[in-house]
Amino acid sequence: FHPNAPLCISACDDYALHLFNVTSGQLLRSFLGHEQWVYGCAFNPDGLLVASASVDQTVRIWDVETANTKTTLRGHSDEVYGVDMRGDGAVVSCGLDATVLLWDTREGPQKIAELSAHEEGVNTVVFSPDSNYVVS
């Protein structure tokens, strides 16, 4: 769900994200660019950006207003299942490769940490409400 408006976004098996008005149910726009199913998505805290996680091994950062890709994050070696965003440009992602990757997207995407304590694929990852922790 969007943090400031009656909107929700869904990750779909048609390789897209779809943004809906939850009051009317109207499809507002689709976000196209992934090459495989999209498993997860999350708005950033101000709702201007959304991140998506895909079977195509990428995370994409999208402009919510235009549905254009702002950047594509590549670093996973298998399907990407989960993603979350902070307001400072940090993104965290996880996937079938059993890793959790932390990214800085402020000035060009840069992988800043790789957490590999999991023994099997990781389905979900989120920042804590105070953004000091990551739970996977």
Side-chain angles (χ1 to χ4, degrees), residues 26-135:
Q26 178 184 7
L27 172 64
L28 301 176
R29 65 188 61 87
S30 295
F31 298 69
L32 307 173
H34 279 294
E35 298 174 4
Q36 292 290 327
W37 291 11
V38 183
Y39 276 133
C41 56
F43 286 105
N44 73 336
D46 65 13
L48 298 177
L49 301 173
V50 66
S52 58
S54 173
V55 173
D56 67 13
Q57 301 180 14
T58 67
V59 171
R60 287 181 179 250
I61 310 299
W62 308 83
D63 181 296
V64 171
E65 189 64 33
T66 65
N68 291 329
T69 301
K70 293 184 68 73
T71 192
T72 302
L73 308 177
R74 291 179 173 85
H76 285 279
S77 62
D78 211 329
E79 300 174 5
V80 186
Y81 291 152
V83 65
D84 199 15
M85 301 181 77
R86 287 192 324 209
D88 65 356
V91 174
V92 64
S93 59
C94 66
L96 191 58
D97 61 4
T99 64
V100 173
L101 302 182
L102 184 62
W103 307 86
D104 183 347
T105 63
R106 288 176 291 191
E107 295 180 24
Q110 179 180 359
K111 183 171 67 171
I112 57 175
E114 181 172 331
L115 311 173
S116 55
H118 291 281
E119 295 180 11
E120 296 186 19
V122 185
N123 293 319
T124 304
V125 65
V126 294
F127 285 108
S128 62
D130 63 6
S131 297
N132 290 324
Y133 301 96
V134 170
V135 178

